[in-house]
Amino acid sequence: MASRRHILIVTSWYKTNDDHVGSPFVEEQARLLQRNNNQVGILATLWKSRKALMLRKNSRFHQAAYTDDGLPTFYCIMRSIIPLLRKLNYKYAIRRAWRTYVLYKKQYGKPDLLHAHSVLMGGVAARYISKREGIPFVLTEHLTNIIRDNGFIHPLDHAMAKQTYQRAGKVICVSSYQKAAMDEIFDIKDNRSCVVGNLVNPLFFENNRVIHPLGTGQEVVKIVFIGGFVYNKDPFLLMAALSNLLSRGINAHVDMIGTASETEINALHEVISKEGVNEHVHFIGRISRQSIRNYIDKAHFLVSTSHWETFGLNIAEALARGKPVVVTHSGGCRDFVNPTNGIIVEKRDPEIFADAMAQMVQHYNSYHFDDISQQCFNQFSDVTINQKLERIYGEVLSTDARR
């Protein structure tokens, strides 16, 4: 067992009293580190829009500290103090993050290592704390828009991100696709970046998987889609492909798990009506991880139609349940989707995506469902991810000690 370390996770997103689900992967990683003999705390720097803050009962700023089932959690919610003055707003945000860190340190002591999640604002805050306290930091990046927009659109955001990446002890990317793009966009050199996929919650590996064979030709093919109903996830492509699949005599039904704005929901309903698939689509909304697992178990396979994914956690969760997948070539999934567990559709075309779903139905019973789950376990289980993180922490701490 690795020596006990004190690790403070500095994250750009986290659950709050208003949002009990937000970014569960950060909490899951924190509790993994706790289970493996580390002292762990959470410092969440949550940037909210002025409109979002006005909807809160305490509409200006909010800072809180509490212990969440043994996990010390400190967070501050902030907004821009003067719109359009970005540099001043960065200074304000960093100052608030520092003050929250001081409160944490006073109660729990100085950490050995900072682990930031996403550069804005967690990574920027971690860089400041690191420099001021002499604590090394690593940073896991999750953002998709970095790759989509070839960096950050605003020059100051891009500059702050680049400085932070280049000063981190290690930049952890969640896929090979993301690593290659970030190395080029932000000029990350000297083996400063590496790949560690997202942790798949152990509940998805519990040995109670439910598999529904196909073969009568009369049964309903149950498909699940998980993600926001937004442009990047492209549920519109799925609706057109579903219409095409139904025209072939394949009786399919899609459970849509996710949320979106009212405008996006209305646009999707228009497409559903246009494609004539109203009776074959069921909207679920935002649900817990346990409920997501239950819906995956009810399905024959999962589909993903994203334009870009740095990883694709919902894809990995379906594989953990032994379910094959049909996905678009969105980037990150190439690290773990292969012919033994699914189909990657190279071209964004409804007919071609329908071809892939029809192929999945035709050959469904030839998949080895236990092997699909085992492959995923080998790559993304808590055991595997903990071993990789411990190696990175050890390397960064030993390098820092030699400076």
Side-chain angles (χ1 to χ4, degrees):
M1 182 177 289
S3 59
R4 180 176 174 83
R5 301 184 177 109
H6 182 178
I7 301 165
L8 178 61
I9 293 178
V10 187
T11 178
S12 304
W13 321 279
Y14 204 64
K15 65 183 183 181
T16 66
N17 291 335
D18 298 330
D19 179 4
H20 299 282
V21 182
S23 302
F25 52 84
V26 176
E27 180 182 0
E28 288 165 6
Q29 184 182 98
R31 297 200 182 278
L32 167 65
L33 294 171
Q34 273 190 325
R35 291 195 299 271
N36 285 277
N37 196 39
N38 294 293
Q39 178 184 347
V40 183
I42 296 286
L43 194 167
T45 58
L46 309 179
W47 193 269
K48 300 291 186 181
S49 69
R50 297 169 68 87
K51 180 179 179 181
L53 281 172
M54 289 178 67
L55 295 175
R56 296 173 55 87
K57 292 180 180 179
N58 181 1
S59 63
R60 185 164 172 75
F61 310 115
H62 190 62
Q63 180 172 299
Y66 58 95
T67 300
D68 179 15
D69 193 19
L71 181 61
T73 304
F74 288 64
Y75 71 85
C76 55
I77 295 175
M78 56 189 78
R79 65 163 173 83
S80 61
I81 52 173
I82 303 179
L84 304 181
L85 292 183
R86 228 176 185 86
K87 192 171 184 178
L88 183 61
N89 289 325
Y90 268 117
K91 289 181 178 179
Y92 153 74
I94 290 169
R95 184 168 67 249
R96 280 188 60 80
W98 169 256
R99 289 175 178 173
T100 307
Y101 165 77
V102 169
L103 294 175
Y104 174 87
K105 178 184 173 183
K106 184 177 181 180
Q107 188 168 349
Y108 294 98
K110 182 178 177 179
D112 301 312
L113 180 78
L114 307 173
H115 188 153
H117 282 271
S118 191
V119 67
L120 301 180
M121 286 294 301
V124 170
R127 172 164 66 93
Y128 180 82
I129 296 168
S130 170
K131 183 178 180 180
R132 190 159 173 175
E133 288 281 80
I135 306 170
F137 78 100
V138 301
L139 191 159
T140 297
E141 190 53 83
H142 305 269
L143 293 178
T144 302
N145 64 317
I146 293 175
I147 298 172
R148 181 191 68 198
D149 299 327
N150 197 36
F152 290 94
I153 293 175
H154 195 283
L156 182 57
D157 294 345
H158 191 94
M160 293 290 283
K162 185 173 182 178
Q163 291 172 16
T164 302
Y165 294 138
Q166 294 184 346
R167 294 180 186 178
K170 190 71 74 173
V171 177
I172 303 172
C173 303
V174 295
S175 66
S176 302
Y177 162 75
Q178 181 197 25
K179 179 183 183 302
M182 287 187 58
D183 284 353
E184 179 178 356
I185 294 168
F186 296 102
D187 195 26
I188 302 172
K189 298 178 178 177
D190 303 323
N191 296 316
R192 193 176 292 274
S193 66
C194 65
V195 175
V196 178
N198 279 333
L199 168 71
V200 173
N201 190 304
L203 73 87
F204 288 92
F205 292 112
E206 290 178 0
N207 192 24
N208 57 352
R209 293 187 296 277
V210 180
I211 303 298
H212 309 282
L214 286 171
T216 67
Q218 302 299 317
E219 68 267 66
V220 175
V221 177
K222 297 178 181 178
I223 303 169
V224 63
F225 171 98
I226 305 171
F229 310 140
V230 296
Y231 170 77
N232 182 47
K233 303 296 183 180
D234 200 3
F236 309 104
L237 172 63
L238 176 59
M239 294 303 101
L242 176 61
S243 177
N244 188 293
L245 188 68
L246 293 169
S247 72
R248 305 180 190 201
I250 298 175
N251 185 14
H253 179 96
V254 181
D255 283 328
M256 304 283 290
I257 300 174
T259 59
S261 69
E262 183 177 352
T263 300
E264 289 160 336
I265 289 288
N266 290 339
L268 183 54
H269 278 294
E270 286 182 12
V271 173
I272 289 172
S273 296
K274 176 185 174 183
E275 298 292 346
V277 296
N278 304 65
E279 300 301 319
H280 298 267
V281 179
H282 180 211
F283 287 96
I284 310 300
R286 194 177 189 187
I287 56 178
S288 69
R289 304 303 282 283
Q290 178 70 53
S291 297
I292 288 174
R293 190 189 77 169
N294 294 342
Y295 274 100
I296 291 173
D297 283 349
K298 293 176 184 178
H300 290 102
F301 58 92
L302 174 138
V303 294
S304 173
T305 48
S306 296
H307 288 271
W308 309 276
E309 291 286 356
T310 51
F311 183 71
L313 183 57
N314 63 84
I315 301 171
E317 289 170 345
L319 296 176
R321 300 306 294 161
K323 299 302 175 79
V325 298
V326 178
V327 301
T328 47
H329 173 28
S330 55
C333 64
R334 281 204 177 276
D335 282 356
F336 53 93
V337 177
N338 57 66
T340 69
N341 61 19
I343 302 170
I344 298 179
V345 181
E346 301 290 346
K347 188 175 180 180
R348 303 191 63 79
D349 179 273
E351 184 174 355
I352 295 175
F353 199 86
D355 287 342
M357 290 194 289
Q359 180 183 338
M360 173 64 70
V361 172
Q362 181 180 358
H363 300 288
Y364 186 77
N365 294 334
S366 66
Y367 285 98
H368 299 284
F369 305 108
D370 288 341
D371 291 347
I372 289 174
S373 180
Q374 186 62 49
Q375 284 180 39
C376 186
F377 182 88
N378 293 343
Q379 287 184 280
F380 307 122
S381 69
D382 53 356
V383 175
T384 300
I385 300 303
N386 182 68
Q387 289 174 346
K388 291 182 177 181
L389 291 177
E390 289 290 352
R391 281 197 296 269
I392 291 169
Y393 295 161
E395 176 188 336
V396 170
L397 287 166
S398 62
T399 300
D400 186 73
R402 292 194 296 267
R403 290 176 178 172

